[in-house]
Amino acid sequence: QNVNAWLHLQNSGADLDFAYLLTEVCALEGIERVRYTTSHPLEVTPSLIAAHGRLHKLASQIHLPVQSGSNRILATMKRGYTVESYKETVAALRRAKPGLSLTSDFIIGFPGETDEDFAATLQLIEEVGFDGSYGFMYSPRPGTPAADLPDTVPLEVKRARLQALLAQTDARAFEISTTMVGTRQRILVDGHARRHTLELRGRTDNNRVVNFPGGERLIGHFVDVRITATAPHTLRGELVDLL
């Protein structure tokens, strides 16, 4: 859940951080694209931010779970950061890598979450402009401190809030997908399309799934496609160059 906290301790005292690891991986021959998940806002260091600006093989996308837009809820979650510091981190990443795609996680209905807290989450989504999100309704996990808190948010309220959040983030994601129609994208073909098994699917640099007609020999390779249409959660494309 916090891969960017990776640290290699050395006897010399010059410890090697996650940005160093990414640099070494990007230097390997035969690797064209590097993507990592999941990261924690507290572990987004200046060196990692700089890496996003200088490593061309590093995907122009980062998944950075914020969980809530309410400072009160973040403190109860013991996340260790504030809404303000999260937005500062996002701004620094986007300065280093203009056009960076940002996705996030949200926990809805955490114990004590009020209408005002949820409204703050929707406000954060509007301000940051996430490229996509994963939303989850809170449920107690045995052994965690939160499990001892009263689960005060009714299930029907959690469901309504989750639907409102997903509607907002999905609308933003669809807007971004629409701007990609007509563009040329390099995708890694990772298998057959889910609904149409005679077609293939792959992911763009900003982690969009593209379905397109193509032969099985393309699986495992990078190809260039032109985006022809957008759907709620996928794109359609056509091959530009064949292997």
Side-chain angles (χ1 to χ4, degrees):
Q1 295 299 308
N2 57 340
V3 66
N4 54 328
W6 185 91
L7 189 68
H8 179 63
L9 304 179
Q10 297 194 117
N11 293 332
S12 64
D15 298 334
L16 306 177
D17 65 3
F18 188 59
Y20 167 84
L21 178 62
L22 289 175
T23 301
E24 292 297 298
V25 173
C26 287
L28 296 174
E29 292 186 11
I31 291 181
E32 187 169 336
R33 179 182 294 163
V34 176
R35 194 189 308 276
Y36 64 90
T37 191
T38 285
S39 53
H40 194 291
L42 283 180
E43 305 294 346
V44 180
T45 62
S47 62
L48 179 55
I49 292 171
H52 274 276
R54 64 181 173 80
L55 297 176
H56 299 298
K57 291 183 179 180
L58 191 57
S60 183
Q61 181 260 338
I62 182 172
H63 188 68
L64 194 62
V66 62
Q67 306 299 3
S68 175
S70 163
N71 282 332
R72 189 179 68 83
I73 295 297
L74 290 176
T76 306
M77 289 178 172
K78 303 186 187 302
R79 292 290 289 175
Y81 54 82
T82 64
V83 171
E84 291 74 23
S85 64
Y86 181 88
K87 290 193 292 186
E88 289 172 1
T89 297
V90 169
L93 283 164
R94 285 175 168 165
R95 284 194 298 269
K97 188 71 171 181
L100 182 75
S101 172
L102 181 71
T103 56
S104 193
D105 289 343
F106 295 91
I107 296 177
I108 304 304
F110 192 81
E113 182 186 72
T114 65
D115 289 341
E116 290 74 19
D117 293 323
F118 180 65
T121 296
L122 295 182
Q123 179 63 32
L124 176 65
I125 292 171
E126 181 68 24
E127 292 179 5
V128 172
F130 292 101
D131 200 20
S133 73
Y134 298 91
F136 308 91
M137 290 189 297
Y138 170 81
S139 60
R141 178 176 295 178
T144 62
D148 296 327
L149 299 175
D151 191 1
T152 56
V153 184
L155 180 59
E156 60 272 19
V157 174
K158 292 179 183 178
R159 287 175 175 165
R161 289 177 181 173
L162 178 61
Q163 290 305 310
L165 181 142
L166 293 178
Q168 185 167 332
T169 55
D170 286 352
R172 167 67 178 172
F174 189 77
E175 288 178 5
I176 295 173
S177 292
T178 300
T179 67
M180 297 174 66
V181 174
T183 65
R184 179 170 176 156
Q185 300 288 327
R186 189 153 184 81
I187 67 170
L188 173 60
V189 185
D190 55 23
H192 292 280
R194 290 182 178 177
R195 292 188 178 181
H196 304 286
T197 55
L198 296 180
E199 294 189 345
L200 301 178
R201 57 173 277 162
R203 289 184 181 270
T204 63
D205 184 61
N206 66 347
N207 212 28
R208 286 287 197 279
V209 173
V210 182
N211 296 320
F212 66 99
E216 189 165 343
R217 65 190 178 90
L218 299 178
I219 295 176
H221 296 280
F222 280 93
V223 298
D224 287 346
V225 298
R226 181 173 291 105
I227 305 303
T228 58
T230 182
H233 299 288
T234 60
L235 298 168
R236 285 202 58 79
E238 58 185 13
L239 283 169
V240 175
D241 294 318
L242 291 175
L243 290 174

